[in-house]
Amino acid sequence: MGKNKTILTIFIFACGLLIILPIFFLVFSSFRTPEDVFKLSLNLSNLTLDNFKAVLETNILRAIWNSLVVSVTVTVVAMLFHAMSGYALARLNFPGKKFVFGWMISTMMVPFTVIMIPLYMVTKNLGLANSYGGLIIPMIFNAYGIFLFRQFYQDFPKELEEAAYVEGLSIAGTFFRLVLPLSKPMIIPLTIGFFTANWNNYLWPLIINQKEELMVVQVALANIVGGGYETAWSIVLAAALLSAIPTFIVFFSMQKYLVDGIKMSGIK
Amino acid sequence: MKRKGMKRKLNETLTAYGFLLPNLLGLTLFVFVPMVYAFYVSLHEWNALSPKVFIGFDNYKEMASDKEWWNSVYRTLIFTVIYVPLLFAGSLFFAVMLNTMRQRFVGVARTMFLLPFAITSVISAVIWMFLYDPRNGFINQFFDLVGLPNQQFLGSTDQALLSIIIVIFWINLGYNMMIFLASIKEIPIDYYEAAKIDGATGWKAFWHITFPLLRPTSIFILVVTTIGSFQVFDQIMVMTKGGPANSTMVSVLYIYKQGFEFLNMGYASALAVVLFLIIFVLSLAQLRLYTKKD
Amino acid sequence: MKIWKLFSILSIALILLFQAGCSDSSSSSSGEKDGVVTLKFWDMHTDAEKAFFEDLVKEYNAANEGKVKIEYTAFNQSDYSNTKLPVAFANDEGPDVFMVSPGDFTKYAESNILADLNSYFPEGAKEDFLPASIEAVTYDDKVLALPYELELLGLYYNKKMLADAGVEVPKTWDELKSAAEKLTTSDVAGLVLPTDKAAYLNFIWYPFLWQQGGNVLNEDGTKSTFNSPEVAKALDYWGSFFQDGQAPSKLQYGPWDAGNLGTGSAAMSIVGTWLVPVLEKDYADTEFGLAPIPVPEGGKPATDAGGWKMAVNANSEHVDEAAKFIMWCFAEDKSRPLKWATEVKFAYSPRISVVEEGQAIYDKGLRKVFTEEIYDSAIPEPRFGPEIVDAVGEAMQQVMFGDVSGEDAAEEAHKKIEEALNK
């Protein structure tokens, strides 16, 4: 049994290494000179920091800050709204439930490119163009989180809520005091998902914002890729690596809470 | 007594709608209204530059005989049929494996699987283009080493779609695995201990306990991945732009081409409405199929 | 406890949001303020070229202080044409001044988006432009854009690679084909040509068609002539480089990028004038040669003259001021177009007097080949609408990657072009 587990662990790590191989490539290439960028050798003697210096000369830090504001806000607000809706759809009985659920799911099925123009019109008419509001608010509403929370709450142990009702808590009180704090096992993965998705969002910020000082990181990255007569891939990859660091940080800091999930299941 | 029940019911309904209100408002304003508008546009001839001309259902009639469109739908279906089971099985498999491995290392392993998800789709597409390069690419160099013939990958009409599927699988595997893993962790350990007494371990335990209890998550992953597979865009745009010779021209890409390259906004909207209906029917069928089993 | 924490984060976020929303209410858009006309100018250039236009705008704003203020914004090229402009025009928010590509020209002209510039040319300035360059922007007798550059195509090659392989500089189609074959190794591509379907793919291919006297449309642009034997021959020839593995099916750099030749991963490539300064600056250690695009037996030399144009939004409230600005940029003083075409990048100015003025520079290094051997064979890049560009591109993709003969691919495209013309 123990031996099997060791073999399994080694197997998983082998697969994991295979998966991060392309990322190694990204990391190494971002330290290489423009001439060597495609060389796949493991020769580490010719590494340089010039690419990162070149990236830092652009306005990428300001863009990273903007992206942080947008992604954090969207994620925090979305978690709350989506958990509420998911709970209502999974646990509460009310007329029109099936329809509301179906309707919400159907909003996921429209390709973004098609609603891009009308979405721009709506947002502009709300006076949100060229503002953090325009970057943030339309991105909060997404049936993905609602759907996942609904599925999660379907299997949530009923006994806890019933105990809370007996103690005289209202439905809302039960949700906020009891259910929401216990939803961490799903909030954490979704936080990672929402943060990353918004961090990597490109098309929407591109069209809704004209202002240089509100430029988000992906638009800045696209400007570095450019479209000129000479693509400096080493600089592009360095910029890509730099712009991915906040997502890496979110991943690592969330790890702790993901592991917490195991202990929590002991409650049941 | 009865009145109290009524009151409770009313209270429940009000709370439910209160909980749903922000999303109902937001989704209406930022998704539903634009959707309805897209349908309105689909009844017009419109190039985004001059005023719309109402033409009724002509765009839909034109679509019926648009061979390139139906080819793109067919290609999208192929994509879905390969990608969805692959991602579903792959992420479930690794979630179970991670759950059984030595737990001391599970954090590191999960992070490794999750890392590709952190990198913007455009950049991961760029990295893979380097790896796939027919001449200097890493994969062909590796093939040389083990004596396999070199491949064209993205430059071949037969391999391009599969090459793209692999990239998108690579990006999303870790995230979906994490969702599965989170749900597996929620399964009370007592269930397994009870099963152990009955002699159900390993595969049997998975089949009789884990898998059935994962149903809500499985439904979620399946439906969301199916919807997502109909909307894959960024990676294809960067890696092949629908080529070579249209072999990766999926529906969303074709809609984009009609809408933003040809500026046939009306026609593109009509295509989108039909694509929406196709996804809608498929997702509905999936939801029905899996929930009926209960 | 936890809920309060969450709510406090939430409220901070909301406050931040409102602040951002409010501070924006004074944001300026095009229009008039205190008698100053504000114009939006959108561009798709990067790096040094972007800097050139930034400086132009600064200079113009300073000279017209209190009267006109131009707000310049540059976007990534692919997003510019296919995302930013359509979304802006669809919302009646189009820029007052913008760059337009030959591929978009017809669509914009048909939609009456482009203002007629005829009356804004300074005295005698229009006659200074090459007639063909003005013709390329004329629609219904109206001049709807201002050409400011002609980018020509040529065959660039790595001198050392050709010498090592004992290959002469190819002059004919057969020589180009056998040169590409001899130069192709496991590390080096014999000939780099564009691979992906895009207007650029067609742009590089047209000369092969024109050399034989073939064309996509008839003279007045009303009928397709794509089912001709010349088209089939040009398609078959082009496709053979891909089918025989002499042109890579996928590239690590864009086909217009100096990286292909510069890094030594290609021996030859058909690229435009813009490459000359880049090769001189960044790859000075390698010796590159340049020749006209090889000609088929009995054919005549031909090359493309491409280039973006500057245009004025016909729906702008300030067409006058906008038109005056673009004339100031490229149709008045010779120094600005000369700087653009010789210092910022290398291209030919469509103005005869400017080319004469820059004679010394036009004879420097590889530029001399363009000036003496290629310039005279230039034909302006066609301004076909996107459906025709797509049909031609599809035919090319079929001969490159499918098992389709040039004749069949041409016939298929011919039908699509006819359909597009009859729309």
Side-chain angles (χ1 to χ4, degrees), chain C residues 208-227:
Chain C
F208 292 94
L209 176 60
W210 296 335
Q211 287 167 347
Q212 313 167 63
N215 224 322
V216 177
L217 302 183
N218 65 352
E219 201 117 309
D220 53 4
T222 51
K223 276 202 149 42
S224 165
T225 54
F226 208 71
N227 54 350

Side-chain angles (χ1 to χ4, degrees), chain C residues 154-184:
Chain C
L155 177 74
Y156 289 78
Y157 56 88
N158 183 317
K159 279 192 176 166
K160 188 168 176 294
M161 285 183 187
L162 260 70
D164 288 350
V167 174
E168 291 282 310
V169 179
K171 290 198 175 55
T172 67
W173 279 16
D174 293 340
E175 284 171 22
L176 180 65
K177 180 79 182 151
S178 73
E181 195 184 338
K182 281 181 200 146
L183 291 164
T184 301

Side-chain angles (χ1 to χ4, degrees), chain A residues 22-62:
Chain A
I23 297 176
F24 271 129
F25 175 79
L26 166 69
V27 173
F28 279 124
S29 299
S30 62
F31 287 101
R32 290 190 197 277
T33 58
E35 297 83 53
D36 287 347
V37 64
F38 295 129
K39 303 251 163 71
L40 294 153
S41 73
L42 284 172
N43 175 10
L44 304 181
S45 59
N46 262 335
L47 300 184
T48 165
L49 281 172
D50 289 356
N51 301 323
F52 288 93
K53 278 187 203 140
V55 173
L56 290 175
E57 275 167 21
T58 67
N59 46 7
I60 193 136
L61 290 179
R62 168 81 214 195

Side-chain angles (χ1 to χ4, degrees), chain A residues 114-208:
Chain A
V114 181
I115 57 165
M116 202 157 72
I117 289 180
L119 182 59
Y120 179 84
M121 288 177 186
V122 169
T123 312
K124 191 189 76 182
N125 286 331
L126 292 172
L128 295 172
N130 295 317
S131 74
Y132 274 128
L135 291 165
I136 292 168
I137 296 170
M139 294 296 112
I140 292 172
F141 305 101
N142 186 321
Y144 181 88
I146 303 171
F147 190 10
L148 184 54
F149 272 118
R150 172 190 180 262
Q151 302 303 86
F152 174 71
Y153 288 131
Q154 275 186 343
D155 270 0
F156 207 75
K158 281 204 173 74
E159 300 81 12
L160 286 171
E161 288 155 87
E162 271 152 19
Y165 294 146
V166 170
E167 277 176 34
L169 271 176
S170 68
I171 300 171
T174 310
F175 173 73
F176 285 114
R177 299 238 182 121
L178 189 81
V179 178
L180 197 58
L182 286 177
S183 310
K184 248 205 274 171
M186 214 26 92
I187 292 182
I188 302 297
L190 256 185
T191 300
I192 293 179
F194 257 82
F195 182 85
T196 315
N198 279 285
W199 187 264
N200 291 340
N201 198 357
Y202 171 66
L203 217 47
W204 178 244
L206 177 80
I207 60 169
I208 197 63

Side-chain angles (χ1 to χ4, degrees), chain C residues 66-346:
Chain C
K67 281 179 278 176
V68 180
K69 185 168 176 282
I70 292 167
E71 287 176 349
Y72 173 79
T73 324
F75 305 96
N76 181 311
Q77 188 167 324
S78 58
D79 303 320
Y80 173 79
S81 297
N82 292 334
T83 309
K84 291 302 293 195
L85 282 182
V87 172
F89 279 116
N91 285 286
D92 290 324
E93 285 188 334
D96 304 281
V97 178
F98 59 103
M99 300 289 176
V100 58
S101 77
D104 291 333
F105 178 85
T106 308
K107 203 114 218 178
Y108 283 73
E110 281 171 354
S111 307
N112 301 319
I113 285 281
L114 306 174
D116 185 6
L117 303 173
N118 242 324
S119 56
Y120 296 100
F121 279 96
E123 186 79 31
K126 207 171 140 189
E127 291 68 35
D128 191 23
F129 281 82
L130 288 172
S133 72
I134 292 289
E135 206 178 293
V137 291
T138 304
Y139 183 89
D140 278 352
D141 294 326
K142 288 180 277 191
V143 177
L144 295 182
L146 184 70
Y148 57 88
E149 64 184 8
L150 299 172
E151 298 181 313
L152 311 183
L153 297 176
L155 177 74
Y156 289 78
Y157 56 88
N158 183 317
K159 279 192 176 166
K160 188 168 176 294
M161 285 183 187
L162 260 70
D164 288 350
V167 174
E168 291 282 310
V169 179
K171 290 198 175 55
T172 67
W173 279 16
D174 293 340
E175 284 171 22
L176 180 65
K177 180 79 182 151
S178 73
E181 195 184 338
K182 281 181 200 146
L183 291 164
T184 301
T185 68
S186 58
D187 298 327
V188 177
L191 176 67
V192 162
L193 298 172
T195 58
D196 293 348
K197 186 155 87 176
Y200 187 80
L201 177 71
N202 306 10
F203 177 60
I204 304 293
W205 174 75
Y206 289 137
F208 292 94
L209 176 60
W210 296 335
Q211 287 167 347
Q212 313 167 63
N215 224 322
V216 177
L217 302 183
N218 65 352
E219 201 117 309
D220 53 4
T222 51
K223 276 202 149 42
S224 165
T225 54
F226 208 71
N227 54 350
S228 67
E230 289 86 8
V231 172
K233 199 174 149 194
L235 282 174
D236 280 328
Y237 180 66
W238 177 278
S240 73
F241 287 98
F242 293 87
Q243 297 286 357
D244 303 342
Q246 291 138 3
S249 61
K250 214 58 198 161
L251 297 168
Q252 288 179 321
Y253 292 95
W256 52 79
D257 196 299
N260 293 308
L261 284 162
T263 57
S265 63
M268 303 186 289
S269 184
I270 295 176
V271 198
T273 38
W274 59 83
L275 210 63
V276 175
V278 185
L279 291 178
E280 279 174 358
K281 189 173 123 264
D282 293 332
Y283 302 100
D285 302 340
T286 321
E287 251 195 285
F288 294 101
L290 176 66
I293 299 172
V295 203
E297 197 98 0
K300 60 177 194 325
T303 195
D304 254 311
W308 287 61
K309 283 92 184 155
M310 255 176 134
V312 170
N313 182 353
N315 300 327
S316 161
E317 284 166 41
H318 304 286
V319 171
D320 273 8
E321 285 83 355
K324 272 178 200 147
F325 168 65
I326 68 170
M327 288 301 160
W328 175 84
C329 288
F330 286 115
E332 290 176 14
D333 199 83
K334 274 183 271 187
S335 64
R336 287 179 286 271
L338 186 66
K339 185 178 177 195
W340 172 257
T342 57
E343 279 176 51
V344 180
K345 68 188 285 184
F346 172 55

Side-chain angles (χ1 to χ4, degrees), chain B residues 47 135 152 239 245 262, chain C residues 107 111 249-250 265 390 397:
Chain B
N47 67 2
R135 283 176 305 145
Q152 293 293 314
M239 289 198 278
F262 294 3
Chain C
K107 203 114 218 178
S111 307
S249 61
K250 214 58 198 161
S265 63
D390 190 73
Q397 292 275 305

